Amino acid sequence: MNNNKFDALKTSDSDDSDNENKDMKEEREPVTPGPGEHALQFAYTFWFTPRFPGRQASSLNFEQNIKYVGTVASVEQFWAYYSHMGRPGDLTGHSDLHLFKDGVKPMWEDPANKEGGKWIVRLRKGLASRAWENLILAMLGEQFMVGEEICGAVVSVRFQEDIISVWNKTASDQATTSRIRDTLKRVLNLPPNTIMEYKMHLDSLKDNSSFRNTDVFVR
Amino acid sequence: MSGKTKVRDIPSRRVLLTDPSQLPIDYSSTPGGTLFSTTPGGTRIIYERHELLQLRNSPLTRTPPKNLPKIAGVTSPSTTKGSPQPDSVNGQATIPEEKKCDEDPQFEMDI
């Protein structure tokens, strides 16, 4: 498997600021598929961010809060983690569950993300667990067919809604973003009039908000 | 548009082989042409949803991963004593925020 690009990103991360928490900084052994296991095209890492309502939002807090869960390189390893983790529908309070390519941090500032953006789908309560599973299975199975453009996926559990996002590397690449949108609609089985929103990470950095001031698409 | 539609065969080409030596050396290519046995630009490991689901109950997935960290709310119950709980840490701040949400469904996220 060709993960060299991501290894390269890892090295360039090491000169980041000292503000990162242990989880973000820690050097980890590369994860490989076990004997007889079904290899994935890319290794992926689960991250979890519990949120504390009322606390000041900042990139620093985000880095301090984020928790490393584990990295998977095979289908079997994925299920071993997934089966022993809470489903988005069971998570309490405000929290984010991330599944990102190994070597890409789930942050706007990561070198793999800084030119990128994300598709956002807002779901009413009760739908997130199934939607999240369908989304990450499609991502792990390389169903998006956009080369190396996918960076990761996030499910954000909020008070009144749950939000699912897919991050890609190049926000300006329209062929890629529309293919991701169409695949997302297909795998989540979204009704035709579903509102989908896209937001560039550059804009998120400017307004320090993940889900406000998005570009809205209805089809 | 009117007029009869003329039946036309799908264009194809037959290559007659009279001797095994005419078979291509590379059996993954087709006589008289090449078929891609891989995706142009490289191979990818692709799984359909049902293929992944079939592997869900493999014995390897039954036991928790060795290094699975205990994280309240996601890998262990959020009621674990001593663990920070998103709801209880700042319980008082939760109420005004909920009110705010009623007014504005697109409430601010704090990434």
Side-chain angles (χ1 to χ4, degrees), chain A residues 107-128:
Chain A
M107 300 181 66
W108 304 323
E109 298 91 338
D110 188 276
N113 295 325
K114 63 178 202 274
E115 303 287 314
K118 63 174 181 281
W119 279 108
I120 298 164
V121 184
R122 297 171 194 270
L123 301 168
R124 64 165 199 272
K125 284 290 177 186
L127 300 176

Side-chain angles (χ1 to χ4, degrees), chain A residues 1 37-42 48 51-54 57 67-69 75-76 79-82 84-87 91-94 96-97 108 122 130 133-134 137 141-143 145 147-148 158-161 163 208-212, chain B residues 43-49 51-58 60-69 71-76 78 84-87 89-90 93-94 97-102 104-111:
Chain A
M1 274 178 296
E37 294 182 353
H38 294 72
L40 294 167
Q41 175 72 39
F42 298 103
F48 179 67
R51 295 201 176 269
F52 304 95
K67 305 275 182 239
Y68 175 86
V69 181
V75 181
E76 287 81 357
W79 284 122
Y81 273 94
Y82 184 82
H84 297 92
M85 289 168 65
R87 300 285 173 274
L91 300 180
T92 51
H94 292 203
D96 291 344
L97 187 56
W108 304 323
R122 297 171 194 270
R130 187 174 174 81
E133 182 174 298
N134 286 341
L137 292 185
E142 285 293 315
Q143 296 290 317
M145 300 292 203
E148 312 216 325
R158 294 297 182 265
F159 174 61
Q160 284 186 321
E161 61 181 354
I163 302 166
N208 198 29
S209 151
S210 214
F211 302 119
R212 281 195 165 189
Chain B
T43 43
R44 298 218 142 224
I45 308 171
I46 292 170
Y47 297 100
E48 297 290 334
R49 185 172 175 274
E51 295 175 287
L52 294 170
L53 288 170
Q54 273 171 5
L55 297 167
R56 182 175 207 157
N57 296 320
S58 139
L60 295 165
T61 70
R62 301 263 167 82
T63 42
K66 254 182 281 171
N67 308 319
L68 187 70
I71 303 171
V74 69
T75 59
S76 66
S78 53
Q85 289 176 49
D87 281 335
V89 165
N90 206 347
T94 317
E97 176 138 327
E98 286 172 3
K99 275 183 188 159
K100 198 181 94 194
C101 297
D102 287 335
D104 179 11
Q106 295 193 21
F107 56 96
E108 186 160 340
M109 303 300 151
D110 54 352
I111 284 190

